[in-house]
Amino acid sequence: MTDYILKFPSKTAAEQFGIASGFASANEDGEVVSNIASHEHAMCVVGDYDGAWWVLFRDLVGIPIPDGAEQFIYWSSASGTPRPTDESTPNIFWA
């Protein structure tokens, strides 16, 4: 299991990435809907914080990192460094 904090420059960028990587889709009204959880992942859309769009993502099974995702990974539990808890990141509790 690997946890990620993803930081996008905007909601639109996050939605486009989510659709391209299969973690979101557009509903019949054209609204982007995230696939919040499956047997492979869990996700919490934090939203706007300090001028960026944040998403918490938990990979439960070793999903390969999608092409282009590296630029959005702010932190990963696989890095070995503690999760940031300062004011620079949203600090919501998620298990």
Side-chain angles (χ1 to χ4, degrees):
M1 177 176 70
T2 305
D3 292 333
Y4 296 93
I5 298 176
L6 305 174
K7 180 181 179 183
F8 296 91
S10 67
K11 179 180 180 184
T12 301
E15 290 174 340
Q16 290 171 347
F17 177 78
I19 290 170
S21 59
F23 295 110
S25 59
N27 67 15
E28 59 277 354
D29 297 326
E31 297 175 35
V32 176
V33 180
S34 299
N35 304 328
I36 300 297
S38 74
H39 67 283
E40 295 182 340
H41 78 279
M43 181 175 13
C44 173
V45 178
V46 176
D48 185 42
Y49 179 81
D50 202 24
W53 194 261
W54 298 82
V55 175
L56 305 175
F57 187 89
R58 176 166 280 172
D59 173 4
L60 300 171
V61 296
I63 301 168
I65 295 174
D67 289 340
E70 295 84 7
Q71 64 184 316
F72 304 119
I73 298 173
Y74 185 82
W75 172 83
S76 167
S77 61
S79 70
T81 61
R83 183 175 66 84
T85 58
D86 63 5
E87 300 279 328
S88 69
T89 61
N91 195 7
I92 72 168
F93 177 81
W94 67 306

